[in-house]
Coordinates of all heavy atoms in Angstrom, one line a residue:
M29 N 216.7 240.4 193.5 CA 216.1 239.0 193.2 C 215.5 239.2 191.8 O 214.6 240.1 191.7 CB 215.1 238.5 194.2 CG 215.9 238.3 195.5 SD 215.3 236.8 196.3 CE 213.8 237.5 197.1
S30 N 215.6 238.2 190.8 CA 215.0 238.5 189.6 C 214.8 237.1 189.0 O 215.4 236.1 189.3 CB 215.9 239.4 188.7 OG 217.1 238.7 188.5
E31 N 213.9 237.1 188.1 CA 213.7 235.9 187.2 C 215.0 235.4 186.4 O 215.7 236.3 185.9 CB 212.6 236.2 186.1 CG 211.9 235.0 185.5 CD 210.8 235.4 184.7 OE1 209.7 235.6 185.3 OE2 210.9 235.7 183.5
C32 N 215.1 234.1 186.5 CA 216.4 233.6 185.8 C 216.4 233.8 184.3 O 215.3 233.5 183.7 CB 216.5 232.1 186.2 SG 218.0 231.4 185.5
E33 N 217.4 234.1 183.7 CA 217.5 234.3 182.2 C 217.5 233.0 181.5 O 217.6 232.9 180.3 CB 218.6 235.2 181.9 CG 220.1 234.7 182.1 CD 220.5 235.0 183.6 OE1 219.8 235.3 184.5 OE2 221.8 235.0 183.6
C34 N 217.7 232.0 182.2 CA 217.8 230.5 181.6 C 216.5 229.8 181.5 O 216.5 228.7 181.0 CB 218.8 229.7 182.5 SG 220.4 230.4 182.7
L35 N 215.4 230.5 181.8 CA 214.1 229.9 181.8 C 213.7 229.2 180.4 O 213.4 228.1 180.4 CB 212.9 230.8 182.0 CG 212.8 231.6 183.3 CD1 211.5 232.3 183.4 CD2 212.9 230.7 184.5
A36 N 214.2 229.8 179.3 CA 213.8 229.1 178.0 C 214.7 227.9 177.7 O 214.2 227.1 177.0 CB 214.0 230.1 176.9
V37 N 215.8 227.8 178.3 CA 216.6 226.7 177.9 C 216.9 225.8 179.1 O 217.6 224.7 178.8 CB 218.0 227.3 177.4 CG1 217.8 228.0 176.2 CG2 218.7 228.1 178.5
C38 N 216.5 226.0 180.2 CA 216.9 225.1 181.3 C 216.1 223.9 181.3 O 214.8 223.8 181.3 CB 216.6 225.9 182.7 SG 217.0 224.8 184.1
P39 N 216.8 222.7 181.4 CA 216.0 221.4 181.5 C 215.1 221.3 182.7 O 214.1 220.7 182.7 CB 217.2 220.4 181.5 CG 218.4 221.0 181.2 CD 218.2 222.6 181.4
F40 N 215.5 221.8 183.8 CA 214.6 221.8 185.0 C 213.4 222.5 184.7 O 212.2 222.1 185.0 CB 215.3 222.2 186.3 CG 214.4 222.3 187.4 CD1 214.1 221.1 188.1 CD2 213.8 223.4 187.9 CE1 213.1 221.1 189.2 CE2 212.9 223.6 188.8 CZ 212.7 222.4 189.6
F41 N 213.5 223.7 184.2 CA 212.3 224.6 184.1 C 211.4 224.0 183.1 O 210.1 224.3 183.1 CB 212.7 226.1 183.8 CG 211.6 227.1 184.0 CD1 211.2 227.4 185.2 CD2 210.8 227.5 182.9 CE1 210.1 228.3 185.4 CE2 209.7 228.4 183.0 CZ 209.4 228.7 184.3
N42 N 212.0 223.3 182.0 CA 211.2 222.8 180.9 C 210.8 221.3 181.2 O 210.4 220.7 180.2 CB 211.9 223.1 179.6 CG 212.0 224.6 179.4 OD1 210.9 225.2 178.9 ND2 213.1 225.2 179.6
D43 N 210.7 220.9 182.3 CA 210.4 219.6 182.7 C 211.1 218.5 181.9 O 210.5 217.5 181.6 CB 208.8 219.4 182.5 CG 208.0 220.4 183.4 OD1 208.5 220.7 184.5 OD2 206.9 220.9 183.0
K44 N 212.4 218.7 181.8 CA 213.2 217.6 181.0 C 213.9 216.8 182.1 O 214.6 215.9 181.5 CB 214.1 218.3 180.1 CG 213.5 219.1 179.0 CD 213.0 218.3 177.8 CE 212.2 219.0 176.9 NZ 212.6 220.2 176.3
M45 N 213.8 217.0 183.3 CA 214.3 216.1 184.3 C 213.3 215.3 184.9 O 212.2 215.7 184.9 CB 215.1 217.1 185.3 CG 216.2 217.7 184.8 SD 216.9 219.1 185.9 CE 217.6 218.1 187.2
P46 N 213.7 214.2 185.5 CA 212.6 213.2 186.2 C 212.0 214.2 187.2 O 212.5 214.9 188.0 CB 213.6 212.1 186.9 CG 214.8 212.2 186.1 CD 215.0 213.6 185.6
L47 N 210.8 214.0 187.3 CA 209.9 214.9 188.2 C 210.1 214.5 189.6 O 210.1 213.4 190.0 CB 208.4 214.8 187.7 CG 208.1 215.4 186.3 CD1 206.7 215.4 186.1 CD2 208.6 216.9 186.2
L48 N 210.1 215.5 190.3 CA 210.1 215.2 191.7 C 208.6 215.2 192.3 O 207.8 215.8 191.8 CB 210.8 216.5 192.5 CG 212.2 216.7 192.1 CD1 212.6 218.1 192.6 CD2 213.2 215.7 192.6
G49 N 208.5 214.4 193.4 CA 207.2 214.3 193.9 C 206.8 215.4 194.8 O 207.5 216.4 195.1
G50 N 205.5 215.5 195.2 CA 205.0 216.4 196.1 C 204.8 217.7 195.7 O 205.0 218.7 196.5
G51 N 204.8 218.0 194.5 CA 204.6 219.4 194.0 C 205.9 220.2 194.1 O 205.9 221.4 194.0
L52 N 207.0 219.5 194.3 CA 208.3 220.3 194.6 C 208.7 221.0 193.3 O 209.3 222.1 193.4 CB 209.5 219.3 194.9 CG 209.4 218.8 196.5 CD1 210.5 217.9 196.7 CD2 209.6 220.1 197.4
V53 N 208.4 220.5 192.1 CA 208.9 221.1 190.9 C 208.4 222.6 190.8 O 209.1 223.5 190.6 CB 208.4 220.3 189.7 CG1 208.7 221.2 188.4 CG2 209.2 219.1 189.6
E54 N 206.9 222.6 191.1 CA 206.4 224.0 191.1 C 206.9 224.9 192.0 O 207.1 226.1 191.9 CB 204.9 223.9 191.0 CG 204.3 223.2 189.8 CD 204.7 223.8 188.5 OE1 204.8 225.0 188.4 OE2 205.1 223.0 187.6
I55 N 207.1 224.3 193.2 CA 207.6 225.2 194.4 C 209.0 225.7 194.0 O 209.3 226.9 194.2 CB 207.7 224.3 195.7 CG1 206.2 224.0 196.1 CG2 208.4 225.1 196.8 CD1 206.1 223.1 197.2
Y56 N 209.8 224.9 193.5 CA 211.2 225.2 193.1 C 211.2 226.2 192.0 O 211.9 227.3 192.1 CB 212.0 224.0 192.6 CG 212.5 223.1 193.8 CD1 213.1 221.9 193.5 CD2 212.3 223.5 195.2 CE1 213.5 221.0 194.6 CE2 212.5 222.6 196.2 CZ 213.1 221.4 195.9 OH 213.6 220.5 196.9
K57 N 210.3 226.0 191.1 CA 210.2 227.1 190.0 C 209.8 228.4 190.5 O 210.3 229.4 190.0 CB 209.1 226.6 188.9 CG 209.6 225.5 188.0 CD 208.5 225.2 187.0 CE 208.9 224.0 186.1 NZ 207.8 223.5 185.1
E58 N 208.9 228.4 191.5 CA 208.4 229.7 192.1 C 209.6 230.3 192.7 O 209.9 231.4 192.7 CB 207.1 229.3 192.9 CG 206.4 230.4 193.2 CD 205.8 231.1 191.8 OE1 205.4 230.4 190.9 OE2 205.9 232.4 191.9
N59 N 210.2 229.5 193.7 CA 211.1 230.0 194.6 C 212.5 230.3 194.1 O 213.3 231.2 194.5 CB 211.4 229.0 195.8 CG 210.2 228.9 196.7 OD1 209.3 229.8 196.5 ND2 210.1 228.1 197.6
Y60 N 213.0 229.5 193.1 CA 214.3 229.7 192.5 C 214.2 230.4 191.2 O 214.6 231.6 190.9 CB 215.1 228.4 192.3 CG 215.4 227.7 193.5 CD1 214.6 226.6 194.0 CD2 216.5 228.1 194.2 CE1 215.0 225.9 195.1 CE2 216.9 227.3 195.3 CZ 216.1 226.3 195.9 OH 216.4 225.6 197.0
C61 N 213.5 229.8 190.1 CA 213.6 230.3 188.9 C 212.9 231.7 188.6 O 213.3 232.5 187.9 CB 212.7 229.2 187.8 SG 213.3 227.6 188.0
K62 N 211.9 231.9 189.4 CA 211.2 233.2 189.3 C 211.5 234.1 190.2 O 211.1 235.3 190.1 CB 209.6 232.9 189.3 CG 209.2 232.0 188.1 CD 207.7 231.9 188.1 CE 207.3 231.0 186.9 NZ 205.9 230.6 187.0
K63 N 212.3 233.8 191.2 CA 212.6 234.7 192.3 C 214.0 234.9 192.7 O 214.5 236.0 192.9 CB 211.8 234.4 193.7 CG 210.3 234.7 193.6 CD 209.8 234.5 195.0 CE 208.1 234.7 195.0 NZ 207.6 233.5 195.9
D64 N 214.6 233.7 192.8 CA 216.0 233.8 193.4 C 217.0 232.8 192.7 O 217.4 231.8 193.3 CB 215.8 233.3 194.8 CG 217.1 233.7 195.8 OD1 218.0 234.3 195.2 OD2 217.3 233.1 196.9
K65 N 217.3 233.3 191.5 CA 218.2 232.3 190.8 C 219.5 232.1 191.4 O 220.2 231.1 191.3 CB 218.4 233.0 189.4 CG 219.1 234.2 189.3 CD 219.1 234.9 188.0 CE 219.9 236.1 188.1 NZ 219.9 236.9 186.8
D66 N 220.0 233.1 192.1 CA 221.4 233.1 192.7 C 221.4 231.9 193.9 O 222.5 231.6 194.1 CB 221.7 234.5 193.3 CG 221.9 235.5 192.2 OD1 222.7 235.1 191.3 OD2 221.4 236.5 192.3
S67 N 220.3 231.4 194.3 CA 220.3 230.4 195.3 C 220.1 229.0 194.6 O 220.2 228.1 195.2 CB 219.1 230.6 196.2 OG 219.4 231.7 197.0
C68 N 220.0 229.0 193.3 CA 219.7 227.8 192.6 C 221.1 227.1 192.3 O 222.0 227.7 191.8 CB 219.0 228.1 191.3 SG 219.1 226.5 190.1
A69 N 221.0 225.7 192.6 CA 222.4 225.0 192.5 C 222.7 225.0 190.9 O 223.9 225.1 190.7 CB 222.2 223.6 193.0
R70 N 221.7 224.8 190.2 CA 222.2 224.7 188.6 C 222.7 226.0 188.2 O 223.6 226.1 187.4 CB 220.8 224.4 187.9 CG 220.3 222.9 188.1 CD 219.1 222.7 187.2 NE 219.6 222.6 185.8 CZ 220.0 221.5 185.2 NH1 220.2 220.5 185.9 NH2 220.5 221.5 183.9
Y71 N 222.1 227.2 188.6 CA 222.6 228.5 188.2 C 224.1 228.7 188.8 O 224.8 229.3 188.2 CB 221.6 229.5 188.7 CG 221.8 230.9 188.2 CD1 221.3 231.2 186.9 CD2 222.5 231.9 188.9 CE1 221.6 232.3 186.4 CE2 222.9 233.0 188.3 CZ 222.3 233.4 186.9 OH 222.6 234.6 186.4
M72 N 224.1 228.3 190.1 CA 225.6 228.5 190.6 C 226.6 227.8 189.8 O 227.7 228.4 189.5 CB 225.6 227.8 192.0 CG 224.8 228.6 193.1 SD 224.5 227.6 194.6 CE 226.2 227.2 195.1
V73 N 226.4 226.6 189.4 CA 227.5 225.8 188.6 C 227.6 226.5 187.2 O 228.7 226.8 186.6 CB 227.1 224.4 188.4 CG1 228.1 223.6 187.6 CG2 227.0 223.7 189.8
R74 N 226.4 226.8 186.6 CA 226.5 227.5 185.3 C 227.2 228.8 185.4 O 228.1 229.0 184.5 CB 224.9 227.8 184.7 CG 224.9 228.3 183.5 CD 223.4 228.6 183.2 NE 223.3 229.4 182.0 CZ 222.8 228.7 180.9 NH1 222.3 227.6 180.9 NH2 222.7 229.5 179.7
K75 N 227.0 229.6 186.4 CA 227.6 230.9 186.5 C 229.2 230.7 186.7 O 230.0 231.3 186.1 CB 227.1 231.6 187.5 CG 227.4 233.1 187.6 CD 226.5 233.9 188.5 CE 226.9 233.8 189.9 NZ 226.2 234.8 190.8
A76 N 229.6 229.6 187.5 CA 231.0 229.4 187.8 C 231.7 228.7 186.8 O 232.9 229.0 186.5 CB 231.1 228.6 189.1
L77 N 231.1 227.8 186.1 CA 231.8 226.9 185.1 C 231.3 226.7 183.8 O 232.0 226.3 182.9 CB 231.9 225.4 185.9 CG 232.3 225.2 187.2 CD1 232.1 223.7 187.6 CD2 233.6 225.6 187.4
G78 N 230.2 227.3 183.5 CA 229.6 227.2 182.2 C 228.5 226.2 182.1 O 228.6 225.2 182.9
K79 N 227.5 226.3 181.3 CA 226.4 225.4 181.2 C 226.6 224.0 181.0 O 226.0 223.2 181.4 CB 225.4 226.0 180.2 CG 225.7 226.0 178.9 CD 224.6 226.5 177.9 CE 225.2 226.4 176.5 NZ 224.3 227.0 175.5
E80 N 227.7 223.8 180.3 CA 228.1 222.4 179.9 C 228.5 221.6 181.1 O 228.6 220.4 181.1 CB 229.0 222.3 178.8 CG 230.3 223.1 178.9 CD 230.2 224.5 178.8 OE1 229.2 225.0 178.0 OE2 230.9 225.3 179.3
K81 N 228.9 222.3 182.3 CA 229.4 221.6 183.4 C 228.2 221.3 184.5 O 228.6 220.8 185.4 CB 230.4 222.4 184.1 CG 231.6 222.7 183.2 CD 232.5 221.5 183.2 CE 233.8 221.8 182.5 NZ 234.6 220.7 182.2
V82 N 227.0 221.8 184.1 CA 226.0 221.5 185.1 C 225.5 220.1 185.1 O 225.2 219.6 183.9 CB 224.7 222.5 184.8 CG1 223.5 222.2 185.8 CG2 225.1 223.9 184.8
P83 N 225.7 219.3 186.1 CA 225.2 217.9 186.0 C 223.7 217.8 185.6 O 222.9 218.6 186.1 CB 225.5 217.4 187.5 CG 226.5 218.3 188.0 CD 226.1 219.7 187.4
P84 N 223.6 216.7 184.8 CA 222.1 216.6 184.4 C 221.1 216.3 185.4 O 219.9 216.6 185.3 CB 222.2 215.4 183.4 CG 223.5 214.8 183.6 CD 224.4 215.7 184.2
D85 N 221.6 215.7 186.7 CA 220.7 215.4 187.6 C 220.7 216.3 188.9 O 220.5 216.1 189.9 CB 221.0 214.0 188.2 CG 222.4 213.8 188.6 OD1 223.3 214.8 188.4 OD2 222.8 212.7 189.3
L86 N 221.2 217.5 188.7 CA 221.3 218.5 189.6 C 219.9 219.4 189.7 O 219.7 220.0 188.8 CB 222.5 219.5 189.4 CG 222.9 220.5 190.5 CD1 223.5 219.6 191.7 CD2 223.9 221.5 190.0
Y87 N 219.3 219.3 191.0 CA 218.2 220.1 191.2 C 218.5 221.4 191.9 O 219.5 221.5 192.4 CB 217.2 219.2 191.9 CG 216.6 218.1 191.1 CD1 217.2 216.9 191.1 CD2 215.4 218.3 190.4 CE1 216.7 215.8 190.2 CE2 214.9 217.3 189.6 CZ 215.5 216.1 189.5 OH 214.9 215.2 188.7
P88 N 217.6 222.3 191.7 CA 217.9 223.7 192.2 C 218.3 223.7 193.7 O 219.0 224.6 194.2 CB 216.7 224.5 191.9 CG 216.1 223.8 190.8 CD 216.3 222.3 190.9
N89 N 217.8 222.8 194.4 CA 218.0 222.8 195.9 C 219.3 222.3 196.4 O 219.6 222.2 197.5 CB 216.8 222.1 196.7 CG 216.7 220.6 196.3 OD1 217.0 220.3 195.2 ND2 216.5 219.8 197.3
M90 N 220.1 221.6 195.5 CA 221.3 220.8 195.8 C 222.5 221.7 195.8 O 223.5 221.5 195.0 CB 221.5 219.7 194.8 CG 220.3 218.7 194.7 SD 220.6 217.4 193.4 CE 219.4 216.1 193.9
R91 N 222.5 222.7 196.7 CA 223.6 223.7 196.7 C 224.8 223.0 197.1 O 226.0 223.3 196.8 CB 223.2 224.8 197.7 CG 222.1 225.6 197.1 CD 221.8 226.7 198.2 NE 222.9 227.5 198.5 CZ 223.0 228.8 198.3 NH1 222.1 229.5 197.7 NH2 224.1 229.5 198.7
D92 N 224.7 222.1 198.1 CA 226.0 221.4 198.6 C 226.8 220.6 197.5 O 227.8 220.7 197.3 CB 225.6 220.3 199.7 CG 225.3 221.0 201.0 OD1 225.5 222.2 201.1 OD2 224.9 220.2 201.9
K93 N 225.9 220.0 196.6 CA 226.5 219.2 195.4 C 227.0 220.3 194.5 O 228.2 220.1 193.9 CB 225.4 218.4 194.8 CG 226.1 217.6 193.7 CD 225.1 216.5 193.2 CE 225.7 215.8 192.0 NZ 224.8 215.0 191.2
A94 N 226.3 221.4 194.3 CA 226.9 222.5 193.4 C 228.3 222.9 193.9 O 229.2 223.0 193.1 CB 225.9 223.6 193.3
N95 N 228.4 223.1 195.2 CA 229.7 223.6 195.7 C 230.8 222.5 195.5 O 231.9 222.9 195.3 CB 229.5 224.0 197.2 CG 228.8 225.3 197.4 OD1 229.2 226.2 196.6 ND2 227.9 225.4 198.3
Q96 N 230.4 221.2 195.6 CA 231.4 220.2 195.3 C 231.8 220.2 194.0 O 233.1 220.0 193.7 CB 230.7 218.8 195.8 CG 230.6 218.6 197.2 CD 229.7 217.4 197.5 OE1 229.6 216.4 196.7 NE2 229.3 217.2 198.8
V97 N 230.9 220.4 193.1 CA 231.3 220.3 191.6 C 232.2 221.6 191.4 O 233.2 221.4 190.7 CB 229.9 220.4 190.7 CG1 230.3 220.6 189.3 CG2 229.2 219.1 191.0
I98 N 231.8 222.6 191.9 CA 232.7 223.9 191.6 C 234.0 223.6 192.2 O 235.0 223.9 191.6 CB 231.9 225.1 192.2 CG1 230.6 225.3 191.4 CG2 232.9 226.3 192.1 CD1 229.6 226.4 192.0
A99 N 234.1 223.1 193.5 CA 235.3 223.0 194.1 C 236.2 222.0 193.4 O 237.4 222.2 193.3 CB 235.1 222.6 195.6
A100 N 235.7 220.8 193.0 CA 236.3 219.8 192.3 C 237.0 220.3 191.0 O 238.1 220.0 190.7 CB 235.4 218.6 192.0
S101 N 236.2 221.2 190.4 CA 236.9 221.6 189.1 C 237.9 222.7 189.3 O 238.7 223.1 188.4 CB 235.8 222.4 188.3 OG 235.5 223.7 188.8
Q102 N 238.1 223.1 190.6 CA 239.1 224.1 190.9 C 240.3 223.6 191.5 O 241.3 224.2 191.8 CB 238.6 225.3 191.7 CG 237.5 226.1 191.0 CD 236.6 227.0 191.9 OE1 236.6 226.9 193.1 NE2 235.9 228.0 191.2
Q103 N 240.3 222.2 191.7 CA 241.5 221.6 192.2 C 242.6 221.6 191.0 O 242.2 221.5 190.0 CB 241.2 220.1 192.4 CG 240.1 219.8 193.3 CD 240.5 219.7 194.8 OE1 241.5 219.2 194.9 NE2 239.7 220.1 195.7
P104 N 243.9 221.8 191.5 CA 244.9 221.7 190.4 C 245.0 220.3 189.9 O 244.8 219.3 190.6 CB 246.2 222.0 191.3 CG 245.8 222.3 192.8 CD 244.3 222.0 192.8
A105 N 245.2 220.1 188.7 CA 245.2 218.8 188.1 C 246.5 218.0 188.5 O 247.5 218.5 188.9 CB 245.3 219.1 186.5
Ligands
SF4_30 S1 217.0 229.2 188.4 FE1 218.1 227.2 188.0 S2 216.5 225.7 187.6 FE2 215.6 227.7 187.3 S3 215.8 228.3 185.2 FE3 217.5 229.2 186.3 S4 219.1 227.6 186.1 FE4 217.3 226.7 185.7

């Protein structure tokens, strides 16, 4: 487990996405960005498909959506 190498450029980490309530942003930064990037939905898509394929509204906890995005891109055309 390690800090994510995308901290400097990630819209989520830099508060460029609509803020989540209840202090979730700080919790996610702590749990995903600083500890467990491999569990982050944004990181999963970035790693599988490239950063331009990461949906702008994908939050770190949305692993199901990340898997859908990755699966959809792997369908034969
Ligand atoms: S762990 Fe996810 S949300 Fe955090 S900086 Fe990396 S890609 Fe962005």
Side-chain angles (χ1 to χ4, degrees):
M29 298 220 277
S30 59
E31 195 170 275
C32 182
E33 66 271 24
C34 306
L35 294 188
V37 295
C38 179
F40 175 78
F41 194 79
N42 292 282
D43 299 328
K44 300 274 166 56
M45 293 171 65
L47 294 181
L48 300 167
L52 279 176
V53 170
E54 293 309 316
I55 292 169
Y56 289 171
K57 285 182 183 178
E58 205 53 46
N59 289 348
Y60 294 100
C61 311
K62 295 184 182 171
K63 285 198 192 128
D64 190 12
K65 65 184 181 186
D66 291 310
S67 295
C68 170
R70 295 186 64 86
Y71 193 80
M72 287 165 60
V73 176
R74 184 184 174 107
K75 197 162 81 170
L77 307 177
K79 66 179 179 189
E80 52 290 328
K81 300 285 189 191
V82 180
D85 58 349
L86 188 71
Y87 286 90
N89 62 316
M90 296 178 169
R91 291 176 56 119
D92 286 351
K93 184 164 177 199
N95 282 321
Q96 285 169 14
V97 171
I98 293 167
S101 79
Q102 291 167 345
Q103 304 268 327

